[in-house]
Amino acid sequence: MKSGTGRPTGPPARGRTAVPAAAVLLVSLLVLCLLSLLIGTGSSSPARAWDYLAGDPSARADPQLRLAVVDVRLPRTLAAVTVGLCLGTAGCLLQAATRNPLAETGLLGVNSGAAFAVVVGLTFFDASSPTALLVWALGGGTAASAVVLLLAASGRAAGSPLRLVLAGSALGATFHGMTSYVLLGTQSTFDVYRYWTIGSLAGVRTSELLPLLPLVAVGLAVALGCARPLAALGLGDDSARSLGHHPGRVRLVVAGAVSLLAGCAVAVAGPIAFLGLLAPYAARAVAGASMSGQLVLSALIAADVMIVADLLARVVIRPWEAPVSVLLAFVGGPLLVWIARSSRLSTAGATS
């Protein structure tokens, strides 16, 4: 409806708040990154870490302080930001493509495929180093999602949300059974796998993280390029076709981007639950129907939450560390129940 001046009337769109919200989240992310460099489980105080970052000569001459800030905390900070950006963006893409506000990256078989690949690498190829585990996890997650895409792309209903979810669930269950079978006879493999599968940023090294950044950049670029087609899909497949889009192709491209982003995240930190599900929900509450706003806000929210969770993991049971995934589960579980019971659930998906 328009007023006499020709301007639309009514309440302002929620999408108008996306830009200031993104600015606030970005500033928060920078502050959290600084705190991540200052706080750790070791004996180095935040004040001494600040002196090191400020260039104090005595602090720079301390090898233990350099080890804590540069070799331990800096890689973890970069890893937390990377994993958060990947899971937030991937979750937002998947929920929009399937029009299911409870969809998460595990539906494409990424987690189960990565887990099976890690077990195979540990058992048959002696892939016990962190770098080897990262490569096996990335390869397994990407391969599993590729199989899901091939299954979803076949048949008359190619690219439909239901076929995509069913293919991912079926393959995920298959990989889970195969993983359990291999683990039954290998105690040493189970010990390493148990540590990997809890989800943690401890032990991440910059040399392992840097090769993944180009893949992450490609995934994020594809995600932003899918914003307009996904917005059209939110109106329904028929409306999207009338606007010149091909829903099946769009969903397959989105699934490929989700596979790449989720595979990188799983390779770095292991399976992380809830983050890719909850961040898009919060982003939709702010950005409204703006798909590009949802993608940006979801990525920033997930990155902020990931760093906060990693900071808490360092201090909550000091001098030991708690797994990041456990802390996220404590928060994510109750929030998921609340979302599922919310009367707004039906309007919180891609149609919002």
Side-chain angles (χ1 to χ4, degrees), residues 228-269:
R228 181 169 301 210
L230 284 175
L233 257 65
L235 302 174
D237 285 8
D238 292 337
S239 298
R241 290 189 186 95
S242 67
L243 294 173
H245 300 287
H246 301 276
R249 296 178 189 175
V250 172
R251 290 192 179 98
L252 292 177
V253 172
V254 166
V258 169
S259 302
L260 186 61
L261 292 171
C264 290
V266 171
V268 172

mmCIF file of all heavy atoms in Angstrom, residues 228-269:
data_model
loop_
_atom_site.group_PDB
_atom_site.id
_atom_site.type_symbol
_atom_site.label_atom_id
_atom_site.label_comp_id
_atom_site.label_asym_id
_atom_site.label_seq_id
_atom_site.Cartn_x
_atom_site.Cartn_y
_atom_site.Cartn_z
ATOM 1 N N ARG A 228 20.496 -14.079 -4.538
ATOM 2 C CA ARG A 228 19.298 -13.699 -5.311
ATOM 3 C C ARG A 228 18.479 -14.918 -5.722
ATOM 4 O O ARG A 228 17.256 -14.918 -5.551
ATOM 5 C CB ARG A 228 19.701 -12.881 -6.530
ATOM 6 C CG ARG A 228 18.534 -12.420 -7.362
ATOM 7 C CD ARG A 228 18.945 -11.403 -8.396
ATOM 8 N NE ARG A 228 19.532 -10.233 -7.780
ATOM 9 C CZ ARG A 228 19.454 -9.003 -8.303
ATOM 10 N NH1 ARG A 228 18.794 -8.815 -9.425
ATOM 11 N NH2 ARG A 228 20.024 -8.001 -7.697
ATOM 12 N N PRO A 229 19.104 -15.980 -6.282
ATOM 13 C CA PRO A 229 18.291 -17.167 -6.601
ATOM 14 C C PRO A 229 17.608 -17.770 -5.386
ATOM 15 O O PRO A 229 16.463 -18.229 -5.472
ATOM 16 C CB PRO A 229 19.320 -18.138 -7.198
ATOM 17 C CG PRO A 229 20.406 -17.273 -7.712
ATOM 18 C CD PRO A 229 20.490 -16.121 -6.765
ATOM 19 N N LEU A 230 18.273 -17.774 -4.231
ATOM 20 C CA LEU A 230 17.659 -18.321 -3.029
ATOM 21 C C LEU A 230 16.484 -17.464 -2.565
ATOM 22 O O LEU A 230 15.483 -17.977 -2.071
ATOM 23 C CB LEU A 230 18.696 -18.435 -1.906
ATOM 24 C CG LEU A 230 19.679 -19.591 -2.027
ATOM 25 C CD1 LEU A 230 20.727 -19.518 -0.920
ATOM 26 C CD2 LEU A 230 18.952 -20.932 -1.976
ATOM 27 N N ALA A 231 16.607 -16.157 -2.717
ATOM 28 C CA ALA A 231 15.478 -15.281 -2.382
ATOM 29 C C ALA A 231 14.276 -15.604 -3.264
ATOM 30 O O ALA A 231 13.130 -15.589 -2.799
ATOM 31 C CB ALA A 231 15.884 -13.818 -2.535
ATOM 32 N N ALA A 232 14.526 -15.908 -4.532
ATOM 33 C CA ALA A 232 13.432 -16.291 -5.426
ATOM 34 C C ALA A 232 12.842 -17.636 -5.024
ATOM 35 O O ALA A 232 11.618 -17.832 -5.074
ATOM 36 C CB ALA A 232 13.938 -16.343 -6.871
ATOM 37 N N LEU A 233 13.691 -18.573 -4.583
ATOM 38 C CA LEU A 233 13.193 -19.873 -4.145
ATOM 39 C C LEU A 233 12.310 -19.747 -2.914
ATOM 40 O O LEU A 233 11.412 -20.570 -2.696
ATOM 41 C CB LEU A 233 14.363 -20.812 -3.846
ATOM 42 C CG LEU A 233 14.673 -21.870 -4.913
ATOM 43 C CD1 LEU A 233 15.145 -21.201 -6.198
ATOM 44 C CD2 LEU A 233 15.737 -22.838 -4.415
ATOM 45 N N GLY A 234 12.560 -18.725 -2.105
ATOM 46 C CA GLY A 234 11.738 -18.510 -0.932
ATOM 47 C C GLY A 234 10.292 -18.205 -1.268
ATOM 48 O O GLY A 234 9.401 -18.361 -0.427
ATOM 49 N N LEU A 235 10.033 -17.770 -2.506
ATOM 50 C CA LEU A 235 8.665 -17.488 -2.956
ATOM 51 C C LEU A 235 7.968 -18.732 -3.476
ATOM 52 O O LEU A 235 6.785 -18.677 -3.813
ATOM 53 C CB LEU A 235 8.696 -16.420 -4.059
ATOM 54 C CG LEU A 235 9.351 -15.085 -3.687
ATOM 55 C CD1 LEU A 235 9.438 -14.187 -4.917
ATOM 56 C CD2 LEU A 235 8.593 -14.410 -2.569
ATOM 57 N N GLY A 236 8.715 -19.838 -3.576
ATOM 58 C CA GLY A 236 8.172 -21.061 -4.137
ATOM 59 C C GLY A 236 8.840 -21.385 -5.463
ATOM 60 O O GLY A 236 9.311 -20.496 -6.180
ATOM 61 N N ASP A 237 8.876 -22.668 -5.802
ATOM 62 C CA ASP A 237 9.560 -23.083 -7.027
ATOM 63 C C ASP A 237 8.905 -22.500 -8.274
ATOM 64 O O ASP A 237 9.593 -22.100 -9.222
ATOM 65 C CB ASP A 237 9.584 -24.611 -7.113
ATOM 66 C CG ASP A 237 10.599 -25.221 -6.157
ATOM 67 O OD1 ASP A 237 11.168 -24.470 -5.338
ATOM 68 O OD2 ASP A 237 10.823 -26.448 -6.229
ATOM 69 N N ASP A 238 7.577 -22.458 -8.308
ATOM 70 C CA ASP A 238 6.892 -21.929 -9.486
ATOM 71 C C ASP A 238 7.218 -20.448 -9.692
ATOM 72 O O ASP A 238 7.477 -20.003 -10.826
ATOM 73 C CB ASP A 238 5.377 -22.116 -9.345
ATOM 74 C CG ASP A 238 4.984 -23.585 -9.398
ATOM 75 O OD1 ASP A 238 5.762 -24.391 -9.960
ATOM 76 O OD2 ASP A 238 3.904 -23.930 -8.869
ATOM 77 N N SER A 239 7.210 -19.695 -8.599
ATOM 78 C CA SER A 239 7.549 -18.280 -8.708
ATOM 79 C C SER A 239 8.999 -18.099 -9.130
ATOM 80 O O SER A 239 9.320 -17.202 -9.923
ATOM 81 C CB SER A 239 7.303 -17.575 -7.370
ATOM 82 O OG SER A 239 5.935 -17.639 -7.001
ATOM 83 N N ALA A 240 9.893 -18.952 -8.618
ATOM 84 C CA ALA A 240 11.303 -18.859 -8.988
ATOM 85 C C ALA A 240 11.483 -19.137 -10.486
ATOM 86 O O ALA A 240 12.259 -18.448 -11.156
ATOM 87 C CB ALA A 240 12.127 -19.840 -8.160
ATOM 88 N N ARG A 241 10.756 -20.120 -10.998
ATOM 89 C CA ARG A 241 10.851 -20.405 -12.439
ATOM 90 C C ARG A 241 10.339 -19.235 -13.261
ATOM 91 O O ARG A 241 10.903 -18.913 -14.318
ATOM 92 C CB ARG A 241 10.059 -21.664 -12.767
ATOM 93 C CG ARG A 241 10.667 -22.952 -12.223
ATOM 94 C CD ARG A 241 9.949 -24.170 -12.759
ATOM 95 N NE ARG A 241 10.440 -25.385 -12.124
ATOM 96 C CZ ARG A 241 9.861 -25.953 -11.065
ATOM 97 N NH1 ARG A 241 8.770 -25.404 -10.535
ATOM 98 N NH2 ARG A 241 10.371 -27.046 -10.536
ATOM 99 N N SER A 242 9.260 -18.603 -12.791
ATOM 100 C CA SER A 242 8.719 -17.466 -13.538
ATOM 101 C C SER A 242 9.691 -16.287 -13.555
ATOM 102 O O SER A 242 9.620 -15.436 -14.442
ATOM 103 C CB SER A 242 7.384 -17.031 -12.926
ATOM 104 O OG SER A 242 7.571 -16.498 -11.623
ATOM 105 N N LEU A 243 10.601 -16.247 -12.588
ATOM 106 C CA LEU A 243 11.603 -15.185 -12.535
ATOM 107 C C LEU A 243 12.887 -15.568 -13.278
ATOM 108 O O LEU A 243 13.867 -14.821 -13.252
ATOM 109 C CB LEU A 243 11.939 -14.848 -11.083
ATOM 110 C CG LEU A 243 10.801 -14.219 -10.264
ATOM 111 C CD1 LEU A 243 11.200 -14.094 -8.800
ATOM 112 C CD2 LEU A 243 10.436 -12.852 -10.827
ATOM 113 N N GLY A 244 12.887 -16.738 -13.905
ATOM 114 C CA GLY A 244 14.034 -17.147 -14.715
ATOM 115 C C GLY A 244 15.043 -18.026 -14.017
ATOM 116 O O GLY A 244 16.126 -18.264 -14.560
ATOM 117 N N HIS A 245 14.736 -18.525 -12.831
ATOM 118 C CA HIS A 245 15.667 -19.382 -12.100
ATOM 119 C C HIS A 245 15.278 -20.849 -12.260
ATOM 120 O O HIS A 245 14.127 -21.177 -12.530
ATOM 121 C CB HIS A 245 15.679 -19.010 -10.615
ATOM 122 C CG HIS A 245 16.098 -17.603 -10.348
ATOM 123 N ND1 HIS A 245 17.399 -17.168 -10.467
ATOM 124 C CD2 HIS A 245 15.376 -16.507 -9.968
ATOM 125 C CE1 HIS A 245 17.475 -15.883 -10.171
ATOM 126 N NE2 HIS A 245 16.256 -15.451 -9.877
ATOM 127 N N HIS A 246 16.250 -21.743 -12.052
ATOM 128 C CA HIS A 246 16.034 -23.179 -12.119
ATOM 129 C C HIS A 246 16.239 -23.759 -10.715
ATOM 130 O O HIS A 246 17.391 -23.922 -10.284
ATOM 131 C CB HIS A 246 16.997 -23.828 -13.107
ATOM 132 C CG HIS A 246 16.876 -23.299 -14.503
ATOM 133 N ND1 HIS A 246 15.950 -23.768 -15.406
ATOM 134 C CD2 HIS A 246 17.561 -22.311 -15.143
ATOM 135 C CE1 HIS A 246 16.067 -23.108 -16.544
ATOM 136 N NE2 HIS A 246 17.042 -22.219 -16.409
ATOM 137 N N PRO A 247 15.158 -24.044 -9.992
ATOM 138 C CA PRO A 247 15.293 -24.460 -8.588
ATOM 139 C C PRO A 247 16.218 -25.643 -8.378
ATOM 140 O O PRO A 247 17.018 -25.652 -7.436
ATOM 141 C CB PRO A 247 13.842 -24.807 -8.202
ATOM 142 C CG PRO A 247 13.010 -23.959 -9.101
ATOM 143 C CD PRO A 247 13.751 -23.897 -10.401
ATOM 144 N N GLY A 248 16.119 -26.668 -9.239
ATOM 145 C CA GLY A 248 16.979 -27.833 -9.070
ATOM 146 C C GLY A 248 18.448 -27.488 -9.174
ATOM 147 O O GLY A 248 19.262 -27.913 -8.353
ATOM 148 N N ARG A 249 18.802 -26.697 -10.176
ATOM 149 C CA ARG A 249 20.198 -26.313 -10.356
ATOM 150 C C ARG A 249 20.684 -25.441 -9.202
ATOM 151 O O ARG A 249 21.817 -25.587 -8.736
ATOM 152 C CB ARG A 249 20.358 -25.554 -11.670
ATOM 153 C CG ARG A 249 20.038 -26.376 -12.911
ATOM 154 C CD ARG A 249 20.180 -25.526 -14.159
ATOM 155 N NE ARG A 249 19.684 -26.212 -15.349
ATOM 156 C CZ ARG A 249 19.605 -25.658 -16.539
ATOM 157 N NH1 ARG A 249 20.005 -24.388 -16.702
ATOM 158 N NH2 ARG A 249 19.141 -26.336 -17.568
ATOM 159 N N VAL A 250 19.830 -24.537 -8.770
ATOM 160 C CA VAL A 250 20.213 -23.661 -7.657
ATOM 161 C C VAL A 250 20.527 -24.486 -6.420
ATOM 162 O O VAL A 250 21.535 -24.257 -5.733
ATOM 163 C CB VAL A 250 19.106 -22.634 -7.370
ATOM 164 C CG1 VAL A 250 19.409 -21.861 -6.093
ATOM 165 C CG2 VAL A 250 18.934 -21.674 -8.534
ATOM 166 N N ARG A 251 19.672 -25.460 -6.129
ATOM 167 C CA ARG A 251 19.885 -26.277 -4.922
ATOM 168 C C ARG A 251 21.147 -27.115 -5.034
ATOM 169 O O ARG A 251 21.852 -27.339 -4.039
ATOM 170 C CB ARG A 251 18.670 -27.163 -4.677
ATOM 171 C CG ARG A 251 17.431 -26.393 -4.227
ATOM 172 C CD ARG A 251 16.338 -27.313 -3.722
ATOM 173 N NE ARG A 251 15.204 -26.521 -3.280
ATOM 174 C CZ ARG A 251 14.112 -26.278 -4.013
ATOM 175 N NH1 ARG A 251 14.032 -26.791 -5.235
ATOM 176 N NH2 ARG A 251 13.132 -25.563 -3.539
ATOM 177 N N LEU A 252 21.451 -27.593 -6.222
ATOM 178 C CA LEU A 252 22.670 -28.382 -6.380
ATOM 179 C C LEU A 252 23.920 -27.516 -6.213
ATOM 180 O O LEU A 252 24.902 -27.943 -5.601
ATOM 181 C CB LEU A 252 22.673 -29.066 -7.748
ATOM 182 C CG LEU A 252 21.618 -30.167 -7.933
ATOM 183 C CD1 LEU A 252 21.675 -30.725 -9.335
ATOM 184 C CD2 LEU A 252 21.814 -31.275 -6.911
ATOM 185 N N VAL A 253 23.892 -26.299 -6.741
ATOM 186 C CA VAL A 253 25.015 -25.380 -6.554
ATOM 187 C C VAL A 253 25.166 -25.032 -5.076
ATOM 188 O O VAL A 253 26.278 -25.007 -4.525
ATOM 189 C CB VAL A 253 24.822 -24.106 -7.398
ATOM 190 C CG1 VAL A 253 25.890 -23.068 -7.043
ATOM 191 C CG2 VAL A 253 24.893 -24.437 -8.882
ATOM 192 N N VAL A 254 24.035 -24.765 -4.417
ATOM 193 C CA VAL A 254 24.059 -24.455 -2.992
ATOM 194 C C VAL A 254 24.613 -25.635 -2.199
ATOM 195 O O VAL A 254 25.445 -25.466 -1.291
ATOM 196 C CB VAL A 254 22.649 -24.087 -2.502
ATOM 197 C CG1 VAL A 254 22.582 -24.103 -0.982
ATOM 198 C CG2 VAL A 254 22.251 -22.721 -3.028
ATOM 199 N N ALA A 255 24.176 -26.836 -2.540
ATOM 200 C CA ALA A 255 24.663 -28.018 -1.827
ATOM 201 C C ALA A 255 26.164 -28.191 -2.020
ATOM 202 O O ALA A 255 26.876 -28.609 -1.094
ATOM 203 C CB ALA A 255 23.921 -29.259 -2.307
ATOM 204 N N GLY A 256 26.669 -27.856 -3.208
ATOM 205 C CA GLY A 256 28.108 -27.921 -3.421
ATOM 206 C C GLY A 256 28.860 -26.932 -2.550
ATOM 207 O O GLY A 256 29.898 -27.263 -1.964
ATOM 208 N N ALA A 257 28.343 -25.704 -2.446
ATOM 209 C CA ALA A 257 28.974 -24.704 -1.583
ATOM 210 C C ALA A 257 28.904 -25.125 -0.122
ATOM 211 O O ALA A 257 29.875 -24.970 0.631
ATOM 212 C CB ALA A 257 28.299 -23.349 -1.780
ATOM 213 N N VAL A 258 27.760 -25.671 0.288
ATOM 214 C CA VAL A 258 27.612 -26.151 1.666
ATOM 215 C C VAL A 258 28.608 -27.262 1.947
ATOM 216 O O VAL A 258 29.235 -27.305 3.019
ATOM 217 C CB VAL A 258 26.171 -26.639 1.911
ATOM 218 C CG1 VAL A 258 26.063 -27.374 3.238
ATOM 219 C CG2 VAL A 258 25.203 -25.465 1.881
ATOM 220 N N SER A 259 28.766 -28.169 1.005
ATOM 221 C CA SER A 259 29.705 -29.280 1.190
ATOM 222 C C SER A 259 31.131 -28.774 1.364
ATOM 223 O O SER A 259 31.875 -29.255 2.229
ATOM 224 C CB SER A 259 29.629 -30.222 -0.016
ATOM 225 O OG SER A 259 28.325 -30.706 -0.199
ATOM 226 N N LEU A 260 31.518 -27.801 0.543
ATOM 227 C CA LEU A 260 32.874 -27.264 0.629
ATOM 228 C C LEU A 260 33.104 -26.554 1.962
ATOM 229 O O LEU A 260 34.119 -26.789 2.639
ATOM 230 C CB LEU A 260 33.107 -26.304 -0.533
ATOM 231 C CG LEU A 260 34.523 -25.748 -0.701
ATOM 232 C CD1 LEU A 260 35.511 -26.879 -0.938
ATOM 233 C CD2 LEU A 260 34.578 -24.760 -1.858
ATOM 234 N N LEU A 261 32.161 -25.712 2.363
ATOM 235 C CA LEU A 261 32.316 -24.961 3.609
ATOM 236 C C LEU A 261 32.272 -25.882 4.824
ATOM 237 O O LEU A 261 33.108 -25.778 5.731
ATOM 238 C CB LEU A 261 31.213 -23.905 3.707
ATOM 239 C CG LEU A 261 31.289 -22.759 2.694
ATOM 240 C CD1 LEU A 261 30.029 -21.908 2.753
ATOM 241 C CD2 LEU A 261 32.513 -21.888 2.957
ATOM 242 N N ALA A 262 31.289 -26.776 4.849
ATOM 243 C CA ALA A 262 31.178 -27.682 5.997
ATOM 244 C C ALA A 262 32.355 -28.642 6.051
ATOM 245 O O ALA A 262 32.832 -28.997 7.138
ATOM 246 C CB ALA A 262 29.858 -28.448 5.922
ATOM 247 N N GLY A 263 32.832 -29.080 4.886
ATOM 248 C CA GLY A 263 33.996 -29.965 4.872
ATOM 249 C C GLY A 263 35.228 -29.299 5.453
ATOM 250 O O GLY A 263 35.982 -29.911 6.211
ATOM 251 N N CYS A 264 35.442 -28.027 5.123
ATOM 252 C CA CYS A 264 36.580 -27.285 5.690
ATOM 253 C C CYS A 264 36.425 -27.139 7.203
ATOM 254 O O CYS A 264 37.395 -27.291 7.956
ATOM 255 C CB CYS A 264 36.693 -25.915 5.040
ATOM 256 S SG CYS A 264 37.236 -25.947 3.312
ATOM 257 N N ALA A 265 35.210 -26.839 7.657
ATOM 258 C CA ALA A 265 34.983 -26.665 9.090
ATOM 259 C C ALA A 265 35.222 -27.962 9.854
ATOM 260 O O ALA A 265 35.863 -27.974 10.916
ATOM 261 C CB ALA A 265 33.553 -26.166 9.335
ATOM 262 N N VAL A 266 34.714 -29.075 9.323
ATOM 263 C CA VAL A 266 34.901 -30.364 9.986
ATOM 264 C C VAL A 266 36.370 -30.766 9.987
ATOM 265 O O VAL A 266 36.878 -31.327 10.961
ATOM 266 C CB VAL A 266 34.037 -31.443 9.300
ATOM 267 C CG1 VAL A 266 34.378 -32.833 9.832
ATOM 268 C CG2 VAL A 266 32.562 -31.156 9.520
ATOM 269 N N ALA A 267 37.073 -30.467 8.902
ATOM 270 C CA ALA A 267 38.490 -30.813 8.824
ATOM 271 C C ALA A 267 39.302 -30.076 9.882
ATOM 272 O O ALA A 267 40.254 -30.616 10.437
ATOM 273 C CB ALA A 267 39.025 -30.491 7.429
ATOM 274 N N VAL A 268 38.920 -28.833 10.195
ATOM 275 C CA VAL A 268 39.675 -28.032 11.161
ATOM 276 C C VAL A 268 39.324 -28.400 12.595
ATOM 277 O O VAL A 268 40.202 -28.592 13.441
ATOM 278 C CB VAL A 268 39.424 -26.531 10.928
ATOM 279 C CG1 VAL A 268 40.046 -25.697 12.045
ATOM 280 C CG2 VAL A 268 39.991 -26.101 9.587
ATOM 281 N N ALA A 269 38.036 -28.499 12.904
ATOM 282 C CA ALA A 269 37.597 -28.604 14.300
ATOM 283 C C ALA A 269 36.852 -29.877 14.633
ATOM 284 O O ALA A 269 36.444 -30.050 15.779
ATOM 285 C CB ALA A 269 36.707 -27.404 14.641
#
